[in-house]
Amino acid sequence: MFPFDFINRFFFIVVIRQIISEFKFKLKYEGFFRLARNSCRQVYSFGSTKCLYIDTFSYNLNHLVEEVKSHYPSQSDIVLSIVFVDKYAKEQCFIELDNDKTFMVMLNMYNENKEVTFYATTEKFRYNPKPLSCQDKVIDENETDSVFP
């Protein structure tokens, strides 16, 4: 038999891990970026959306890249750019997910919300993604362009 303290600690660790490690990834793919009307902001147009619920202890950047590539089955050698929005930036700023360090920074940045939206595209971006740290929100095609001045 296990001592009572061991069982309590094990249960506590399992509960804490479940609370801390679950994220909702909103993946937008097969779309493209364009300039919003009367603005210098980028708008993600068309495409599809898929929600993923992941455990950050077992999920990494390679899993995300493979998930995105699975939506482009006819193009096995496709070059993708996957970006997310820097939530602390005063102006619109994308950060490209190109290594595990950036992936971990993103998880820390959105740790409070436990939800982040990724934008994937195969076209050359018209913006300059920042290396780490820079918008409050990306406009989707479904939202009106007049939201932002």
Side-chain angles (χ1 to χ4, degrees), residues 15-114:
V15 170
I16 292 300
R17 181 176 178 206
Q18 287 177 346
I19 292 170
I20 292 173
S21 68
E22 291 182 3
F23 257 79
K24 177 181 177 183
F25 284 178
K26 199 172 182 182
L27 176 59
K28 295 188 177 266
Y29 59 96
E30 295 180 336
F32 60 92
F33 284 96
R34 66 174 179 79
L35 287 175
R37 283 177 277 186
N38 302 324
S39 175
C40 62
R41 290 180 169 278
Q42 297 286 325
V43 178
Y44 193 79
S45 299
F46 305 107
S48 302
T49 302
K50 179 177 183 176
C51 289
L52 305 170
Y53 296 90
I54 63 103
D55 176 7
T56 59
F57 288 113
S58 61
Y59 201 87
N60 61 34
L61 180 59
N62 292 332
H63 292 110
L64 180 62
V65 170
E66 290 305 313
E67 177 66 37
V68 173
K69 283 186 175 183
S70 73
H71 296 287
Y72 298 89
S74 63
Q75 303 170 358
S76 60
D77 59 343
I78 193 164
V79 176
L80 290 168
S81 292
I82 303 171
V83 297
F84 68 98
V85 175
D86 184 337
K87 74 181 235 174
Y88 298 117
K90 300 280 186 232
E91 297 178 10
Q92 186 182 51
C93 178
F94 299 92
I95 298 174
E96 189 162 12
L97 280 174
D98 56 359
N99 59 50
D100 288 323
K101 179 182 176 190
T102 310
F103 187 77
M104 294 307 295
V105 167
M106 178 273 310
L107 290 177
N108 287 330
M109 185 182 294
Y110 285 90
N111 193 39
E112 203 171 295
N113 309 54
K114 302 286 189 213

